[in-house]
Amino acid sequence: MSESIDVMTVAAGIARLAWSHEHTIDDVRREVAAALREHGRVETWVDPDDHAAQRMATWSGMHREGVMRGVSVDDQAVDRIVYSRLATDAPLDEPGGFRSLLNSFLPRKRAISQLLVRDDRERVLMCRLTYKQDWDLPGGVVEVGESPRLAVGREVEEELGLTFSVGNLLLTDWLPPWGGWDDAVCLVFDGGTHPESILDHVVKQEREIRDVAFCTPEEVRSRAADFTARRVEAALRGDADYTESGR
């Protein structure tokens, strides 16, 4: 007979579960339900390398909340994935409850929206950023629940004080993991053609923007990272809807 599942009250209204690999999903699910009769929250901490325990936590109805780094377990600093279920969570047999569970652990990919703005000499509006040496297209990260089209307009207005009518999507460029960043999808929208004099109206967000200028393709190649230059060139050519790192 397997050992009982350990249920420990760690704070007011909070129970923490631990189990062995001998237990089944039904065992854990029953203990979660029992603990929720006396607690508002039931949680478990799972080793990131223990994939079986991660599946057990998920299919017993606990939501993945994130990774706690460097917590003390048996006097050692380790990382642990936190899963939990609240008494107020929708039942798993309801569509909303099951979708919420899936949404807690399914992959979420970062999205970046950028704007391709040109002048009448076919130069491209580029920004020199404060947090890296390379120049890049204006734009930024899409917030959770935000439209990518609205995001790029918001970012450009915040960073440069300029308001553009955001046109069609020109390019979707996948960016592989790089320099400590996770992978991302970059969406390049058409910002239209404008006179060079719009630079007179730029109000730089000093925390993020060092400089802004219209650049020739050659200047883009010399000032931007290789993958950024490739993305700009692909967007200008207009012969591909999708690229990976500009290729």
Side-chain angles (χ1 to χ4, degrees), residues 134-135 173 178 220-233 245-247:
D134 304 323
W135 291 59
D173 185 34
W178 175 83
V220 171
R221 173 61 67 178
S222 66
R223 296 180 180 183
D226 287 346
F227 57 85
T228 299
R230 289 194 299 268
R231 184 187 319 129
V232 172
E233 290 165 1
S245 194
R247 297 188 176 95

Side-chain angles (χ1 to χ4, degrees), residues 1-9 14-20 23-44 56-57 59-62 85:
M1 184 175 181
S2 62
E3 297 180 1
S4 62
I5 294 175
D6 182 33
V7 182
M8 178 174 57
T9 299
I14 302 176
R16 186 174 302 151
L17 271 61
W19 58 83
S20 72
H23 293 99
T24 67
I25 291 174
D26 286 340
D27 293 336
V28 178
R29 187 182 291 127
R30 281 193 294 269
E31 289 297 337
V32 169
L36 283 174
R37 288 196 284 270
E38 298 181 2
H39 302 81
R41 170 187 170 92
V42 176
E43 66 181 27
T44 189
M56 190 85 75
W59 298 120
S60 65
M62 288 190 273
R85 185 160 185 82

Side-chain angles (χ1 to χ4, degrees), residues 93-105:
D93 57 2
E94 294 182 3
F98 188 63
R99 286 195 295 265
S100 179
L101 176 67
L102 293 180
N103 197 50
S104 76
F105 70 86

Side-chain angles (χ1 to χ4, degrees), residues 147-166:
S147 151
R149 187 190 297 271
L150 293 178
V152 73
R154 171 186 57 76
E155 284 282 349
V156 173
E157 186 170 1
E158 289 175 357
E159 293 179 350
L160 303 179
L162 299 176
T163 302
F164 292 102
S165 176
V166 180

Side-chain angles (χ1 to χ4, degrees), residues 102-188:
L102 293 180
N103 197 50
S104 76
F105 70 86
L106 288 175
R108 300 182 183 184
K109 195 173 296 293
R110 183 177 295 114
I112 300 168
S113 281
Q114 295 186 326
L115 201 62
L116 187 75
V117 178
R118 286 159 282 192
D119 68 4
D120 52 12
R121 294 164 55 188
E122 286 301 304
R123 296 181 301 175
V124 178
L125 188 67
M126 300 288 290
C127 299
R128 185 184 178 199
L129 306 176
T130 58
Y131 49 88
K132 61 181 181 180
Q133 291 300 313
D134 304 323
W135 291 59
D136 209 343
L137 290 170
V141 174
V142 181
E143 300 291 344
V144 175
E146 183 180 33
S147 151
R149 187 190 297 271
L150 293 178
V152 73
R154 171 186 57 76
E155 284 282 349
V156 173
E157 186 170 1
E158 289 175 357
E159 293 179 350
L160 303 179
L162 299 176
T163 302
F164 292 102
S165 176
V166 180
N168 292 330
L169 179 66
L170 299 175
L171 182 70
T172 300
D173 185 34
W174 176 70
L175 308 177
W178 175 83
W181 291 101
D182 291 340
D183 72 323
V185 172
C186 184
L187 306 171
V188 182

